[in-house]
Amino acid sequence: IQRTAKAGMKTGKVAILLADGFDEAAVKAVTQAITAAGGETKVIGPRGGTVVGDSGAKVPVDFSLPTVCSVLF
């Protein structure tokens, strides 16, 4: 088996599972850390559209949980 993946987050894609009432500060910190490391985040929610955080901010959903495949991440 030949390893073709690059070390680090340069090509990494990370799923962030969110539901209404999520901790906005925690998600912002995690998203910034992943992005700073060169990774990409995708939001998965219980349905398409948006999810609403604990302070009322709306975050767009990239994939809905019933329709996303784990192999994408």
Side-chain angles (χ1 to χ4, degrees):
I1 297 175
Q2 184 178 12
R3 183 182 170 133
T4 58
K6 296 178 182 172
M9 289 293 301
K10 297 288 183 205
T11 60
K13 199 183 295 185
V14 179
I16 300 178
L17 303 171
L18 298 180
D20 289 331
F22 68 90
D23 183 343
E24 292 176 29
V27 171
K28 182 177 180 180
V30 169
T31 301
Q32 287 177 343
I34 293 168
T35 303
E40 180 182 0
T41 60
K42 294 292 182 180
V43 174
I44 300 176
R47 64 193 174 286
T50 59
V51 287
V52 182
D54 59 358
S55 298
K58 293 183 180 180
V59 174
V61 171
D62 296 306
F63 300 99
S64 65
L65 191 55
T67 62
V68 71
C69 296
S70 62
V71 296
L72 295 175
F73 303 96

